[in-house]
Amino acid sequence: MYLVTVFGNLIIMLAVGSDSRLHTPMYFFLSNLSLADIGFTSTTVLKMLVNIQTQSKSITYAGCLTQVSFYAFFGCMDSLLLTSMAYDRFVAICHPLHYTVIMNPRLCGLLALISIFISFLDSQLHILMVSQLTFCMNLEISQFFCDPPELLHIACSDTFSSTVLLYCIGAFFGGVPVSGIIFSYIRIISSILRVPSSEGKYKAFSTCGSHLSVVCLFYGTGMGEYLSSAVLSSSKKVAMATVMYTVVAPMLNPFIYSLRNRDIKKALRKLLGRTS
């Protein structure tokens, strides 16, 4: 699954980079999303694969802090890039005549840089939260990586302030992008409903189908992970929900975009034909 995730997202990046017809804002954000998905999965799965190979399930405190940092960074990056893609679809459907003027390369680059900066801030806040905790020796985490909520459960010190900080981080860095996506799609749907012909409605909505599928997959599995950790007592079921979020969702994204998108299909055929 890890190899499929890496190669699938790499192929998307190569297809976008090799075809000049795909040098548009939507595919710019898609290639960045593929890069973030590779980093997001690698943060957790690579260590798990090493543990399986070496039959050692230990991780150092510094290694745990590093994993928390990159997990928060790439997770936030995914969320913000999906929000940027939603804004791109909003401009394309609601303001088609001004699309090229609004979604210019400068704005796209600025949105990508803002996403990186905010993701870095999110990762540093996660490190601040974990560094305030005190841990006893030889603790066991009931996950296959250093999941921040799990670290709160096993901490030996008072976790009230860290728990409040974690919820505030989640509410802000998760809630703001979700609100932006919801607002964009409310405007998109209202604009599509005003299109007189059913063919026009289908054509307009089909441009959002892949993005909407990825958004539902990412946030659906993410909510499933955190709700399961709060409700379920079985560590195996919680781990399964986490695998869906950290492994399955990034693995399926390239398939969703390649199977539902004609431009990506053409670019892939062109790329495969060139390599053969």
Side-chain angles (χ1 to χ4, degrees), residues 34-92:
S34 295
L35 181 62
D37 278 340
I38 292 173
F40 186 58
T41 305
S42 299
T43 300
T44 56
V45 177
L46 274 181
K47 177 60 178 173
M48 179 179 67
L49 292 174
V50 171
N51 289 344
I52 292 171
Q53 183 66 27
T54 59
Q55 295 296 308
S56 172
K57 298 181 180 180
S58 62
I59 187 170
T60 63
Y61 178 73
C64 192
L65 277 179
T66 303
Q67 199 172 59
V68 168
S69 174
F70 281 106
Y71 176 75
F73 178 84
F74 287 115
C76 184
M77 190 77 176
D78 264 358
S79 181
L80 292 171
L81 287 171
L82 288 172
T83 308
S84 298
M85 293 171 79
Y87 177 71
D88 172 75
R89 293 298 85 204
F90 158 71
V91 176

Side-chain angles (χ1 to χ4, degrees), residues 267-276:
L268 288 174
R269 291 194 196 102
K270 184 178 177 182
L271 179 66
L272 294 173
R274 187 181 299 172
T275 54
S276 61

Side-chain angles (χ1 to χ4, degrees), residues 72-144:
F73 178 84
F74 287 115
C76 184
M77 190 77 176
D78 264 358
S79 181
L80 292 171
L81 287 171
L82 288 172
T83 308
S84 298
M85 293 171 79
Y87 177 71
D88 172 75
R89 293 298 85 204
F90 158 71
V91 176
I93 292 173
C94 299
H95 305 283
L97 298 178
H98 301 95
Y99 177 74
T100 54
V101 176
I102 297 172
M103 298 303 296
N104 56 74
R106 185 178 178 181
L107 178 63
C108 294
L110 181 63
L111 289 173
L113 285 174
I114 290 173
S115 299
I116 293 171
F117 175 76
I118 294 175
S119 299
F120 177 75
L121 179 62
D122 183 30
S123 69
Q124 296 309 300
L125 287 173
H126 272 83
I127 289 179
L128 176 65
M129 182 268 296
V130 176
S131 62
Q132 290 178 343
L133 303 173
T134 304
F135 298 97
C136 303
M137 296 295 289
N138 299 324
L139 289 169
E140 183 177 335
I141 303 172
S142 58
Q143 271 287 15
F144 59 90

